[in-house]
Amino acid sequence: MNLHSFFSGARAMARRPVDAKTRSLREHGCLNPNPETVRDELFASNAFFDPRDLVQVRYEMLRRVREDGVPVSHAAASFGVSRPTWYEARRAYEAGGLPGLLPDRPGPRQPHKLTDEVVEALRAAKRERPELTATELAGLARERFGISVHRSSISRVLGGVKKSR
């Protein structure tokens, strides 16, 4: 065995194999980024409990406090999270049940600057002057509403406004 094959083999062993469940958890945004921090005894002693499954980890963490009477600080520590994260999980569960424990998608949920009023004003300007580019409409939004909006956001909302050259 030469050195190259030795180190290649060591690197392959260091990587965790990606099985179907890991792929599915990752695809649905439910893969726990830090499964090694989960030290709860159920997750250590029972194969049913999977520290990679973020929803299962959060649910069991909440259940520990509610049903088993474990203090919040102890439950949070044994599941590898902070106390504020425990409280955040509880609020999410109370508001939405198990689906509430699914991680939120990152980023804004909707265009927060392009309100209905702004979009309508931009559409009206485009109807009056079809030659206006997305960059010019961004300038109009800045002048009229005092907001800075990227030309690509305007193009996306208005459907294909060309950029200026």
Side-chain angles (χ1 to χ4, degrees), residues 28-31 53-63 85-105:
H28 292 94
C30 297
L31 183 64
D53 186 337
L54 189 59
V55 175
Q56 186 181 44
V57 168
R58 296 288 160 89
Y59 177 79
E60 286 300 319
M61 176 182 69
L62 295 174
R63 195 191 65 72
T85 298
W86 186 92
Y87 286 106
E88 184 179 306
R90 184 184 68 181
R91 276 191 301 278
Y93 181 74
E94 288 172 351
L98 275 177
L101 295 177
L102 290 167
D104 287 333
R105 290 176 42 194

Side-chain angles (χ1 to χ4, degrees), residues 60-96:
E60 286 300 319
M61 176 182 69
L62 295 174
R63 195 191 65 72
R64 274 277 184 266
V65 173
R66 184 175 176 187
E67 300 299 321
D68 298 344
V70 173
V72 170
S73 58
H74 178 71
S78 69
F79 284 89
V81 300
S82 65
R83 283 179 49 243
T85 298
W86 186 92
Y87 286 106
E88 184 179 306
R90 184 184 68 181
R91 276 191 301 278
Y93 181 74
E94 288 172 351

Side-chain angles (χ1 to χ4, degrees), residues 152-164:
S152 62
S153 296
I154 292 173
S155 294
R156 195 170 27 255
V157 168
L158 297 184
V161 177
K162 292 195 166 96
K163 66 180 180 178
S164 61

Side-chain angles (χ1 to χ4, degrees), residues 10-138:
R11 270 196 307 273
M13 288 188 333
R15 282 188 226 123
R16 289 184 224 162
V18 177
D19 61 5
K21 183 174 183 181
T22 302
R23 272 193 300 278
S24 179
L25 290 170
R26 181 177 292 122
E27 180 181 306
H28 292 94
C30 297
L31 183 64
N32 186 356
N34 302 305
E36 67 282 352
T37 63
V38 178
R39 297 182 312 273
D40 182 76
E41 64 261 10
L42 275 177
F43 285 82
S45 65
N46 188 327
F48 174 78
F49 296 96
D50 188 350
R52 298 172 303 164
D53 186 337
L54 189 59
V55 175
Q56 186 181 44
V57 168
R58 296 288 160 89
Y59 177 79
E60 286 300 319
M61 176 182 69
L62 295 174
R63 195 191 65 72
R64 274 277 184 266
V65 173
R66 184 175 176 187
E67 300 299 321
D68 298 344
V70 173
V72 170
S73 58
H74 178 71
S78 69
F79 284 89
V81 300
S82 65
R83 283 179 49 243
T85 298
W86 186 92
Y87 286 106
E88 184 179 306
R90 184 184 68 181
R91 276 191 301 278
Y93 181 74
E94 288 172 351
L98 275 177
L101 295 177
L102 290 167
D104 287 333
R105 290 176 42 194
R109 307 299 173 255
Q110 67 274 345
H112 55 282
K113 292 181 184 176
L114 292 174
T115 62
D116 292 341
E117 178 186 11
V118 173
V119 171
E120 187 48 45
L122 295 175
R123 282 192 177 129
K126 187 70 175 164
R127 278 192 302 272
E128 289 175 22
R129 296 184 46 211
E131 73 280 1
L132 285 175
T133 64
T135 302
E136 291 166 332
L137 289 169

